[in-house]
Structures are given as C-alpha cells and as structure tokens.
Amino acid sequence: MSNRYASAAAHPGPGAPKTARGARTRARVLKAAESTFGAMGYHRAGISDITREAGVAQGTFYNYFAGKEEILRELVRDMGHQVRARLAAEVVGARDRLEAEEKGLRAFLEYLHENPYLYRVLQEAQFVDESIYREYYEAFGRGYLRMLADATRKGEIRSGNNEVRVWALMGMSNFLGLRYALWEGDVPFDDVVATISDLFRHGLAIDGQERKP
Amino acid sequence: MSNRYASAAAHPGPGAPKTARGARTRARVLKAAESTFGAMGYHRAGISDITREAGVAQGTFYNYFAGKEEILRELVRDMGHQVRARLAAEVVGARDRLEAEEKGLRAFLEYLHENPYLYRVLQEAQFVDESIYREYYEAFGRGYLRMLADATRKGEIRSGNNEVRVWALMGMSNFLGLRYALWEGDVPFDDVVATISDLFRHGLAIDGQERKP
DNA sequence: ATCAAACGTGACTGAGGTGTCATATTCAGT
DNA sequence: ACTGAATATGACACCTCAGTCACGTTTGAT
C-alpha cells in the first residue's frame, strides 16, 4: 500500500468512506491527527487544528470520526501495527533470543527517534481511554510472551515467569526510549544496547552470586 | 508532621499563607487536588471539583495557587518526596545492592497499590509540563545512580553503564507497578520480585553464555 | 476591645472549543 | 449529459470552565 493510513478505512466511523476521494480525505485527516496530537498534545489540540493541518473544513472531520476520542483510538491501533511490524522485521535472522533482544531494543530506539509522536500519543491515550492503552501493551505483550516461551523451550533462556519478564522488558524499553531516544542523545544506542545485553547475559550480580553463599 | 501536606506550605504561591488557618486551608486544597486529579484525571478535573472536594469556595483556590498547572507542580514535588522517603526507609538494612533492589521493588509495588493516585498524577504531569516530570525522574535517578556507584565500588555488582541501568530499572518498576499493582493483582508481589531478582542475579541467559561460544 | 491584614465567598464573564446543520460541490453510474 | 448519493464547507449555537472581583468574615497582635 502506498499510504500507511489507507488501511484505516477498514474501521467504520460514523460513515466509512464509500468513494476513493472519501478514503483519501479520511486518511489525510488521520495523518493530520497524528502530527497534531504528537506536536501539541491531545488536549491542547483542537479539531480545528487537525482539520487545518489536513486542509479540510471542520465539518469534514465529523464525516469520518465521531469525535476526538475516536480518532485517537484509530490512531493508536494504527501506530501499534506499525511498531510491531517494524520490530518483527528487524528481529528476523537473530540467532537466539538474546540477539533478538538486542536487535529489538536497538530497532525500538531507532523507531522512536524517527517517530517521536508514537510515545506521546500512546501515553496520552492512557488517560483518555485506558482500554486503548491496555490493548496496545497486551497485544505487544502477547507476541513477546510467545517468543520468550519459545526461547525457554529451546533452552536459550532460564526458565522463569515469562509474563512478568515481558512487562519488565517493555518497561525498560519504554524508559530507555524516553530518556535516550526522545530526551537526550548523549549516549549512543550501541552503549545502551550493550549495557542491557550485559544485563541479560550475566545479570547485575558479580558472577551469579547467591544471597547465602 | 501530622499532615503530609503541611510541608507544601513552604512553597510560595500567589500568596503563601500567613496564618494557621491559611496553612490548613492550603493543605486541604492540595490534598483535594490529589484525590480529584487521581480519580478524574487532570484534564477532566475542574477547579470547582477540587474546591468542592476541599469544602471551600472557588475563589479560595486562587488565594494559594496561581492555577491548575501550579498546583499540579506542587503535587508532583510533594509526592516525589513521599515515595523517595518511603523507599529509602524500606531499603535500609539491606545487606547488599541486590537485596536492596528486591526490597525496593516490593516497597514500590506496595506503595503504588496503597497510593494509586501517584501513578496517574505523575504520568499526566508529563504532558502538562514535561519539566515537572523530568525533575521527578532525574531526582529519583540521581539517588539511584549513587547507590549503584557505591555497589560497583564495593564489588557487589558488575561494572557497567550505571546511568543506563538506572533508567532501565526505573522503567521496569514503573511497568511492573502499572501491571501488577494497579491493573491486576493476579500475580503476588513475591513472584514478581523473585522473577526480577533472578534476572539481576543470573541474567536471562542460561549460565552467562556468550554470543560466540 | 480595636483594627488592619489575612482569609473566604460565590456569582459572574469571557475565552476557547466541540459538534451541528443548511447549503454547495463533486463523484460515479447510466 | 443527467442525477442521486456522497462528500465538503464554515458559520454558529451551545456549553464548559478558568479566573476575577467586590464584599463579608476571621485572625491575632497591641
């Protein structure tokens, strides 16, 4: 597909577009919503900001979306697909789970750096409608969990509560992304990835010490 | 102190209170803001919701705070002190860094479970004024970094980029807290802590394997 | 007891922004 | 070319809410 927003036409709004022109317009509005929400934030952004950015009249907005909240929902879904597809693509060819984690973390940092709006839109969505946000991370987590389970079966990683691990890993990526991909680029992604890779390979402890030696 | 909001009187508003009554009122408004923001969210909450909750008139609000944003700032500062104090207290007596991490994570999960408003207020603050949010995590991170540096010096943990580690650890706690302390209690904190402890002691890899054996 | 400063009140207003609607234009099938 | 459906328009009605203000009440120092 030539336009990453085109698939959105599949989700019915107050009236799903029925002509090519309609689909184009809807896509333009959705794209404008991404940059407007991303730049101004969901609450500061008005519908008129979105439609101005899209180059359409205010009324047009309501031909395709029930309101501000619905377009946000649409956007989060769309962005979720994007990230997952990107990460999945970057991770193929990894020889084991640990290498996949490295590649995945680096890809995530790069993606966030290129698409800084993702973070803002997603995190703000959390307080507009929690279910959008949960849906995103639960979808993400399900895929992640499958991979960890595979790796456990193959003996690539220690056995343990993989669900808890998934949430820990997502949290790590999230904060590292915020700090090093969005806020300040004072540490190269390679260093970040190397540090986390070391954590995965050896833990924090000196040589796997136990509490009671 | 008998009232956890009393210290807030130290921060000057449009007019810092000059009588005991004024200090009490200001504290009541700040407390009401916490529960109102926590329950309704920053944007949905109106000043009138806060003052109603506090049992004062709308005008009273502006005797102590310049506006909605300023009271949020105050609140985040106050809450930051609370958490750090609590975690510091829970962690004393740990025999090494790894034990401290365990105690700290458990304490954080418990704190979040008892004070669910912290999460919401803090995360929403991020999009109202990013500097409030950065200030919180940077303060938190500075303390954390000191402890990791100490632990490195004592030979309790592997050497590595402790700053990156700090952000990774904060991210983990944040997401684990959201998932297991706020959303669903389907996994006991003990299991969460044990899983993360295992990660710190041994990593994810089977027995510290290297990529090229 | 007195008084000036501090505090408390709540109705009001003005800005900002969502969603509507009557009307105009474009599309696509015949 | 013709025509009904789909789409686009933008002015406007309506509402929410932050912040103000003039006036009444309480405090605490002398």
Side-chain angles (χ1 to χ4, degrees):
Chain A
M1 79 185 97
S2 64
N3 184 327
R4 45 173 294 215
Y5 293 89
S7 70
H11 300 286
K18 302 188 175 167
T19 68
R21 180 173 58 136
R24 271 196 309 275
T25 304
R26 187 187 195 278
R28 275 171 52 217
V29 173
L30 194 58
K31 185 162 122 192
E34 174 177 338
S35 58
T36 307
F37 286 159
M40 313 179 58
Y42 176 81
H43 287 97
R44 280 192 247 283
I47 301 297
S48 60
D49 295 308
I50 297 174
T51 53
R52 194 180 323 114
E53 172 80 19
V56 300
Q58 282 211 42
T60 302
F61 179 93
Y62 296 93
N63 285 340
Y64 302 105
F65 302 98
K68 218 177 162 186
E69 229 179 277
E70 200 205 278
I71 201 174
L72 180 66
R73 224 182 303 276
E74 211 62 63
L75 210 44
V76 170
R77 258 189 226 115
D78 195 88
M79 292 173 121
H81 292 153
Q82 293 293 319
V83 198
R84 287 199 297 276
R86 169 75 167 265
L87 292 193
E90 295 278 353
V91 148
V92 297
R95 292 188 308 177
D96 58 19
R97 181 85 293 252
L98 293 178
E99 198 181 320
E101 288 298 330
E102 290 171 20
K103 283 180 191 280
L105 176 56
R106 178 178 281 104
F108 181 72
L109 295 175
E110 281 162 2
Y111 187 88
L112 219 51
H113 190 72
E114 292 159 20
N115 303 60
Y117 296 160
L118 169 71
Y119 182 87
R120 177 161 205 168
V121 171
L122 184 59
Q123 294 298 318
E124 277 195 290
Q126 184 179 6
F127 302 106
V128 175
D129 178 352
E130 193 183 272
S131 69
I132 318 176
Y133 185 78
R134 288 177 73 138
E135 194 185 300
Y136 173 93
Y137 277 107
E138 279 163 4
F140 205 107
R142 272 192 301 275
Y144 216 145
L145 186 57
R146 239 188 323 250
M147 301 179 98
L148 288 193
D150 275 5
T152 304
R153 205 172 329 105
K154 288 184 193 155
E156 290 174 2
I157 62 174
R158 303 167 56 78
S159 70
N161 188 328
N162 280 332
E163 200 206 274
V164 170
R165 283 170 171 171
V166 161
W167 283 87
L169 296 176
M170 292 194 299
M172 279 183 24
S173 303
N174 196 310
F175 265 53
L176 292 172
L178 175 63
R179 173 62 181 77
Y180 297 107
L182 297 180
W183 284 359
E184 265 137 60
D186 52 353
V187 177
F189 291 167
D190 280 348
D191 289 8
V192 176
V193 172
T195 300
I196 301 307
S197 176
D198 182 82
L199 172 64
F200 290 164
R201 288 178 195 283
H202 305 288
L204 272 183
I206 300 276
D207 208 355
Q209 71 180 69
E210 287 301 330
R211 191 182 320 182
K212 289 166 187 170
Chain B
M1 81 184 97
S2 64
N3 185 326
R4 46 173 294 214
Y5 292 89
S7 71
H11 300 287
K18 301 190 176 166
T19 67
R21 179 173 60 137
R24 272 196 309 274
T25 304
R26 187 187 194 279
R28 275 171 51 215
V29 173
L30 193 58
K31 186 162 123 194
E34 176 178 338
S35 58
T36 307
F37 286 159
M40 312 178 58
Y42 176 81
H43 288 97
R44 280 193 247 283
I47 301 298
S48 60
D49 295 307
I50 297 174
T51 52
R52 194 181 323 114
E53 173 80 19
V56 300
Q58 281 210 42
T60 302
F61 179 94
Y62 296 94
N63 285 340
Y64 301 106
F65 303 98
K68 218 176 161 184
E69 232 180 273
E70 201 206 275
I71 200 174
L72 179 67
R73 225 182 303 275
E74 212 62 62
L75 210 44
V76 170
R77 260 190 226 114
D78 194 89
M79 292 174 122
H81 292 153
Q82 293 293 321
V83 198
R84 287 199 297 277
R86 169 76 168 265
L87 292 193
E90 295 277 355
V91 147
V92 297
R95 293 187 308 177
D96 57 20
R97 182 84 292 251
L98 294 178
E99 197 180 321
E101 288 299 329
E102 290 172 20
K103 284 181 191 281
L105 176 57
R106 179 179 281 102
F108 181 72
L109 295 176
E110 282 162 2
Y111 186 89
L112 219 50
H113 190 72
E114 292 159 19
N115 302 60
Y117 295 160
L118 170 71
Y119 182 88
R120 179 162 204 169
V121 171
L122 184 58
Q123 294 298 318
E124 276 196 291
Q126 183 179 7
F127 303 107
V128 176
D129 178 353
E130 192 183 271
S131 69
I132 317 176
Y133 184 78
R134 287 177 74 138
E135 195 185 299
Y136 173 94
Y137 277 108
E138 279 163 3
F140 205 108
R142 271 192 302 275
Y144 215 146
L145 186 57
R146 235 182 333 230
M147 302 180 97
L148 288 193
D150 275 6
T152 303
R153 206 174 328 105
K154 288 184 193 155
E156 291 174 2
I157 62 174
R158 302 167 57 78
S159 70
N161 188 328
N162 281 333
E163 200 206 274
V164 170
R165 283 170 170 169
V166 160
W167 284 87
L169 296 176
M170 293 194 298
M172 279 183 23
S173 303
N174 196 311
F175 266 53
L176 292 171
L178 176 62
R179 173 62 181 76
Y180 296 108
L182 296 180
W183 283 358
E184 265 138 61
D186 53 352
V187 177
F189 291 167
D190 281 348
D191 288 7
V192 176
V193 172
T195 300
I196 301 308
S197 176
D198 181 82
L199 173 64
F200 290 164
R201 289 179 195 283
H202 306 287
L204 272 182
I206 301 277
D207 208 355
Q209 71 180 69
E210 288 298 333
R211 193 181 319 183
K212 289 165 186 170

